[in-house]
Amino acid sequence: MMPLRGRSEELGKLLDALRAASNGQASLAVVSGEPGIGKSALLAAAVEQAERQGFLVASAAAHQTDNISPLASLAPALRAGTEPLIGTDEFLELAGLNTQPLWLAERLADLIGRRLAGVRALIVLDDAQWSDPLSAFVLRVVVARLPAANLLWLLATRPSPGGTTDQLIEAVGVPVHTIPLAPLTTDAIQDLAADRLNHPVDPSLAVQLAGVQGIPFLAEQLIAGLYLSDSDLSAGLVEGVRRRTSELSEASRDLIRTAAVFGSEFRLEDVAVLMATPVARLAAPLEEAIQAGLLTDAGSVLRFRHELLRSAALADVPPSAQRALHGAIADQLMSAGRGAAAAAPHVLAVAQSGDTRAVATLREAARDLLATMSITAAELIQEAFDLTRVDDPLRAEVGVDVVSILLAAGQYDRAKTFADDLLSGTALYHGPITPDLHATIRLQLAPHRRLDVRELTIPGAAPHLTERLAGHRALAGAEAPGTATDPIAQALQQVAAAEQAQAEGRYADARELYAAARQVEPGLGSLLPTLVEVGELYCRAESDDLSGALERVRELMTAGSSWAAAQLAVLHARLEYASGNLQEAEDAAHAGLRWMDQLHNRSLAPAADQVLALVALLRGHLTQARKLAGSDPTISALLAIADGDTNAVRRLAAAPRDFPERVGVLLEANAVDELSQSTASRGALAVVTAGDDVQQLAAALEVVRTAQRPLLLAQVEERYGRAALEAGDRKTGVPALERAHDSLTAMGATAPAARIQAVLQAAGVRRRRWAAVPPRAQEGWESLTPMERRVALLVAEGHTNRSAAEELVVSASTVGTHLRAVFGKLGVNSRVQLTRLVLERFAPPPNA
C-alpha cells in the first residue's frame, strides 16, 4: 500500500479511536470532504492499521443506486470476509424484518453485540452520503445500542448538512470524532506524485501539480493523463478524460458515454441492450476502458473508478442525448421486468410537468418501495405530485397517495401539513375539493393522531365515510359510541366503547370489545391493529390474565408493527412491573424511551418514566425516583410518604384508575381508605373489606393468589403477616412476612423487603444470613431517620418544638435532639433555611 501523505494528524485521531475501542469505548468517526480529497485513502490506511492490530474489519461502500434496495449500503459490510458479522441463516432471518425497520435494527444490534463479545472490530462505510434510508436508520439504532463494545464505526461522507451522517451524529450516544479533510499541502502533493511515479518529481510536473489545488485525486489523474491542469477543476478533468478516451476505439467511447448515463454503477448487459450490441462484442471495448483507468470490474456490476470520472465522461454527452438515453433506459428497465423503482431515477431525469406516464411510473415505484423503503417511497410520490398540474384532478388523486405514503413512512407532521395545504385551496391545488376527497384525507390522518372534532365533521361525504368519521369523533370523546353499518366504522365504535369501559374499570367488557374490533379487515380510517391489541392486552392483564397478556406482548415486540413500538414498550414495562420483574420492567421502559427518540414522538415518555420511578421507589432509590417524577402527582405523593410525610397518603386518593398497579401502590402506602375506590384487580375489594381482620385477610390472600400478580401478592402477604403479628398470632404472622420478604427480595424490591426484615428482626426472628442492609447516607435528606424526617417536615410547616412534640407524642427535648441532628445532616443552621430546603424538595408542600 502506498504511503498516506499529508494526513498524519487525521490518521492519528483514528488510531486514538481504535485504542479507545480496544478498551471498550465504542465511538463513531466521520471523515468528511469534497470528492477527490482523499477520504477513501484515509479509510484504507485506518483499515490497514486496524488489521495489523488484530481488529475484525468489516467494510462497504454506498452507491447512488442504493436507495431502491433495503439495507443495500450496510449489508456488504455485515456479510464481508471469511468471518462475517452476520451469518447466512441470521441474514436470511433479517430479510423478513425489512418491513419493520425498528425490529430489524434491534435484532441486528443484538446479533452484532453477541458476535463482537470479546472481539475488537472496525466497521467502515465509505460514501455514506448515498446510504439507503434503511441502512441510515439501522446505523442510528445500532451505534447507540452498542456503547460499550470494542468497536469503532468509521464513515466517510461528502459534506451534506442535515444528511445521513449529521442525523447519525445527533442520534448516537457515543463519542463522535469529526475529521474534515482540507486540501493537501504542495509538499504532500509532490510526495504523493513521487510515490506514484517511483521517482522524484521533475520541475515541469511540479508546476502542473500546483494546479490541482491540493486535491490528491486530481494529482493522480494528472499523472495518469486523465486531468489537464486548469483553473477550472472540472474543465481540467473533462479535457483530460476526453484526451485519454480519444485514443480508444469508437466502441469503447460509446460504451463509456452510455454507461455514464446509467450511473456510477451499471450492468454490462443493460448497456449492451441499449447499444443494440451483443455482450460478447463489448468485451474488448470494456477492457480498453478498464485499461484507461475509467472503469473497474466489480464482478456482477461495473463501476466508474470515481464519480468525478463519470461526471467528466458524462460532460461529453450532449443534454439532448442524455435525455433520450434516460428515456430509453427507463423503457428498457420496465420492459425487462426490473420494476418501476429501478426506472424511477431515469424517469425523473426526463419527466416534465403534466407527463402522466412519468407520474404513473413514479406512483408504481412508490407503491413497490413502500413496504421496505418507505422514505424513498415518500420522496418518489412527492415527485409524482409535483409533476401534475395544479388544476388537474389527477393532482388530488396523487395527493391522497402522498398523505398515505408519508404516514406509512412515519412522517405525520409532514403529512398533516401537506393535507391542510391541499384542502385549503392554496396554490398547491386549484381543482375541486369534494366532500369525499376531504373525508378520505382526514380519515388517513385520524388513526395516527386524534384530530379536532371540526376536522372530523364533513357534510356531504359518502355514507361509509360519514360513519367512519363518526367513529373517530367517538374515539375523540366528542360523542357517545353509536352504531354503524360499515364494518370499519363498527370497529371504530367498538374501540370507542372499549375505551369507555376501560376508563370505568369494566376490563372484561373492554377486552371483548377490543377483540371484536380486531376481527375487522383494516381499511381507510382503521386504527393500527397492534395499537388496538395493546388496549386489549392491557384489559386482559387487568382482568387477571397477566401472564397470558405478558407472553403476547413479548411476541409483539418483534412481530407487531414497529410504528407501535413505544406503546408496546410501555405496556410491556407495566406488565413486567406487575409480575415483579423489576429489571425487565426497567429495561422495557428504557427501550421505549429510546424508540420514542428514534421515531421522533415522545408523547408516552411520562408513562415510561412513571414505571421507572415506581421501580426506583421499590429499590429505595428516592433521588432517582424524584428525577423521574416530573409533575406526576401520584409519584410525588409516594415520594413524600417515603420521606416520612404520613399526611401525603390522603393525596393518593386522586391516583388515576389506570395508574400502574394502583392497588399495590395503595397497599404499599397503607392507603386502605383509598383502596375502596379501586376495582382494578380481583382481590382488591376483599382486602379492603378485611381491614386488619386476620381471618378475612387470609381469605383475601387466597383470592389474590389466583390473580397471578406476584408483586401484589407479596404486598398482601405483608399486610396479612403484620395483622397476624399485631393480633399475637406469631405462628401465622412470621411465615407470611417471611414469604413476602423472600418474594420481594427475589424481585429486587429492596425497600419493602428491608422494611419487612426490620419487623421480623424486631419480632425476634433469626436467620443465618439476612440480606445486607445498605448503609444510610451520611448527609442529605436520605441520611435522616424516619423520625428526623417527620420532625423536619413539622418544623417546616411552622411548628414549634412543643407543638411538634404534641403531634408526635414525645417530649419537646426529644424533638430538639432530632432537630439538631437534622440541622447537622442537612447543613443548615436555622429553621428558615430548613423550611426553604423542604419547600424546594417538595412540590406541592408535603402536607398539602
Side-chain angles (χ1 to χ4, degrees):
M1 181 175 175
M2 289 285 186
L4 184 67
R5 298 296 186 178
R7 301 296 188 201
S8 57
E9 181 180 348
E10 292 86 350
L11 183 57
K13 291 181 180 179
L14 294 180
L15 293 178
D16 288 342
L18 284 172
R19 280 190 287 273
S22 294
N23 296 323
Q25 175 59 73
S27 62
L28 167 68
V30 177
V31 177
S32 62
E34 300 297 336
I37 203 69
K39 301 184 293 295
S40 297
L42 180 59
L43 264 59
V47 166
E48 181 186 29
Q49 292 294 327
E51 288 175 336
R52 286 181 180 176
Q53 296 176 33
F55 275 70
L56 170 66
V57 175
S59 61
H63 300 96
Q64 287 175 302
T65 55
D66 284 357
N67 66 344
I68 64 171
S69 301
L71 217 61
S73 305
L74 192 58
L78 303 177
R79 301 285 296 129
T82 56
E83 298 181 7
L85 287 171
I86 305 297
T88 300
D89 291 343
E90 294 166 336
F91 192 73
L92 292 174
E93 174 198 337
L94 291 174
L97 295 174
N98 282 345
T99 59
Q100 300 294 341
L102 193 55
W103 302 151
L104 171 65
E106 289 289 326
R107 176 63 175 152
L108 193 52
D110 289 337
L111 290 173
I112 293 176
R114 286 203 293 270
R115 173 69 178 84
L116 296 183
V119 176
R120 298 177 299 166
L122 171 66
I123 301 179
V124 181
L125 181 60
D126 202 357
D127 284 322
Q129 74 278 357
W130 287 326
S131 296
D132 67 273
L134 185 56
S135 289
F137 178 80
V138 164
L139 278 171
R140 292 198 296 273
V141 175
V142 175
V143 174
R145 276 286 310 278
L146 301 173
N150 300 97
L151 175 60
L152 172 62
W153 300 86
L154 176 55
L155 277 62
T157 182
R158 297 179 185 178
S160 53
T164 297
T165 50
D166 281 359
Q167 294 173 27
L168 181 60
I169 289 170
E170 290 178 6
V172 301
V174 300
V176 177
H177 316 280
T178 54
I179 305 176
L181 297 188
L184 292 178
T185 63
T186 301
D187 288 344
I189 286 289
Q190 296 204 13
D191 288 342
L192 182 151
D195 294 335
R196 302 303 185 269
L197 295 167
N198 204 25
H199 62 70
V201 173
D202 61 53
S204 62
L205 179 58
V207 172
Q208 290 181 290
L209 288 170
V212 305
Q213 299 184 22
I215 300 177
F217 171 78
L218 294 180
E220 294 179 353
Q221 302 315 306
L222 188 148
I223 294 167
L226 291 174
Y227 176 70
L228 298 180
S229 183
D230 192 287
S231 58
D232 183 340
L233 299 183
S234 59
L237 190 58
V238 169
E239 287 303 318
V241 170
R242 186 174 293 158
R243 185 176 70 173
R244 173 60 66 89
T245 55
S246 67
E247 303 170 2
L248 304 179
S249 67
E250 182 63 29
S252 185
R253 291 198 298 272
D254 287 345
L255 170 63
I256 291 167
R257 287 193 290 264
T258 305
V261 179
F262 261 100
S264 57
E265 181 178 279
F266 59 94
R267 297 183 185 183
L268 184 61
E269 54 268 35
D270 290 338
V271 174
V273 171
L274 202 61
M275 293 175 65
T277 303
V279 172
R281 290 189 181 180
L282 290 180
L286 174 61
E287 183 61 26
E288 288 183 67
I290 292 174
Q291 291 300 320
L294 292 170
L295 300 180
T296 180
D297 192 338
S300 60
V301 295
L302 295 161
R303 296 190 182 114
F304 279 86
R305 284 192 176 273
H306 198 283
E307 177 60 22
L308 289 174
L309 292 177
R310 184 185 83 90
S311 299
L314 191 61
D316 246 6
V317 183
S320 58
Q322 289 188 38
R323 290 182 56 81
L325 283 169
H326 277 301
I329 292 169
D331 290 341
Q332 176 186 320
L333 292 173
M334 291 289 286
S335 62
R338 300 276 288 282
H346 301 286
V347 170
L348 287 171
V350 297
Q352 295 180 328
S353 178
D355 186 342
T356 56
R357 184 181 176 191
V359 170
T361 301
L362 294 175
R363 291 178 74 183
E364 182 182 346
R367 287 192 290 267
D368 290 347
L369 292 172
L370 182 58
T372 56
M373 300 287 284
S374 59
I375 295 176
T376 301
E379 299 310 314
L380 288 177
I381 198 63
Q382 185 69 62
E383 294 279 5
F385 180 83
D386 293 341
L387 286 173
T388 59
R389 295 193 175 95
V390 294
D391 57 350
D392 187 343
L394 177 63
R395 192 172 180 87
E397 185 180 323
V398 180
V400 171
D401 287 350
V402 172
V403 176
S404 175
I405 290 175
L406 286 174
L407 290 170
Q411 300 183 36
Y412 176 84
D413 292 338
R414 184 177 166 190
K416 181 68 163 63
T417 299
F418 177 89
D420 290 344
D421 288 345
L422 185 70
L423 297 173
S424 61
T426 65
L428 197 64
Y429 176 53
H430 292 167
I433 300 173
T434 65
D436 282 5
L437 171 64
H438 197 165
T440 296
I441 290 178
R442 292 306 179 198
L443 285 170
Q444 287 179 324
L445 295 166
H448 298 268
R449 305 270 175 89
R450 298 285 165 93
L451 296 180
D452 185 273
V453 175
R454 291 171 297 179
E455 297 177 296
L456 296 170
T457 305
I458 303 171
H464 70 289
L465 299 179
T466 299
E467 286 191 344
R468 295 178 194 185
L469 288 167
H472 280 286
R473 291 197 300 273
L475 284 169
E479 56 190 63
T483 58
T485 57
D486 174 72
I488 290 175
Q490 289 175 352
L492 293 170
Q493 296 287 0
Q494 286 169 329
V495 173
E499 290 183 353
Q500 182 175 311
Q502 181 177 327
E504 295 170 358
R506 295 185 288 111
Y507 297 110
D509 294 342
R511 173 182 173 179
E512 291 180 4
L513 287 164
Y514 280 126
R518 285 203 303 116
Q519 302 308 309
V520 176
E521 188 70 24
L524 176 65
S526 292
L527 299 176
L528 191 67
T530 301
L531 292 183
V532 178
E533 190 169 7
V534 165
E536 179 188 346
L537 290 173
Y538 175 83
C539 295
R540 184 174 169 183
E542 291 298 328
S543 54
D544 295 317
D545 185 12
L546 175 61
S547 59
L550 181 54
E551 181 179 355
R552 176 58 179 160
V553 169
R554 289 170 177 165
E555 291 176 4
L556 288 173
M557 296 307 290
T558 55
S561 169
S562 60
W563 295 118
Q567 291 88 343
L568 285 169
V570 169
L571 178 60
H572 184 202
R574 291 180 66 143
L575 300 190
E576 294 285 11
Y577 175 78
S579 300
N581 305 324
L582 302 190
Q583 186 58 55
E584 289 80 357
E586 185 176 48
D587 291 344
H590 281 305
L593 290 169
R594 186 172 69 248
W595 296 338
M596 290 175 211
D597 288 336
Q598 288 155 1
L599 298 176
H600 307 294
N601 183 355
R602 289 186 59 84
S603 59
L604 289 176
D609 286 340
Q610 205 172 53
V611 175
L612 290 172
L614 288 170
V615 171
L617 280 165
L618 285 180
R619 290 173 172 167
H621 301 161
L622 301 188
T623 300
Q624 182 181 355
R626 188 164 285 106
K627 291 178 181 177
L628 294 162
S631 58
D632 190 307
T634 305
I635 298 293
S636 298
L638 291 172
L639 282 164
I641 294 167
D643 280 334
D645 179 13
T646 55
N647 293 324
V649 171
R650 296 197 304 268
R651 287 157 48 195
L652 292 177
R657 190 185 297 275
D658 65 348
F659 189 83
E661 290 306 283
R662 183 175 187 269
V663 172
V665 164
L666 296 175
L667 278 176
E668 178 72 15
N670 201 31
V672 180
D673 293 339
E674 288 73 20
L675 269 171
S676 61
Q677 303 174 26
S678 178
T679 57
S681 178
R682 196 184 336 158
L685 184 60
V687 173
V688 173
T689 304
D692 290 327
D693 184 278
V694 177
Q695 289 185 342
Q696 291 188 49
L697 277 172
L701 181 62
E702 292 308 311
V703 176
V704 172
R705 202 182 302 280
T706 65
Q708 301 176 356
R709 306 185 84 85
L711 181 58
L712 177 61
L713 178 62
Q715 292 162 330
V716 176
E717 286 266 29
E718 179 189 0
R719 185 169 189 79
Y720 172 51
R722 283 176 177 271
L725 273 187
E726 290 172 4
D729 186 355
R730 179 184 175 87
K731 185 177 180 181
T732 299
V734 168
L737 287 172
E738 287 185 322
R739 287 193 299 272
H741 173 272
D742 294 345
S743 179
L744 291 166
T745 299
M747 295 176 190
T750 53
R755 181 182 64 230
I756 295 172
Q757 178 174 316
V759 173
L760 287 169
Q761 288 174 321
V765 177
R766 297 290 179 265
R767 284 190 175 185
R768 298 185 65 179
R769 291 188 63 186
W770 283 106
V773 178
R776 187 182 297 277
Q778 298 301 306
E779 58 184 23
W781 191 265
E782 281 71 21
S783 68
L784 303 184
T785 66
M787 180 59 78
E788 289 167 351
R789 292 182 186 183
R790 296 186 66 187
V791 167
L793 292 170
L794 290 170
V795 170
E797 290 177 349
H799 280 273
T800 64
N801 285 15
R802 185 174 298 279
S803 64
E806 293 173 355
E807 184 80 16
L808 298 172
V809 195
V810 295
S811 68
S813 62
T814 298
V815 170
T817 300
H818 288 311
L819 188 58
R820 285 191 294 274
V822 168
F823 280 9
K825 291 178 180 180
L826 298 184
V828 299
N829 52 29
S830 72
R831 290 173 181 263
V832 172
Q833 289 179 340
L834 174 61
T835 301
R836 185 181 298 116
L837 187 151
V838 169
L839 291 176
E840 288 174 355
R841 184 176 181 83
F842 291 95
N847 291 329

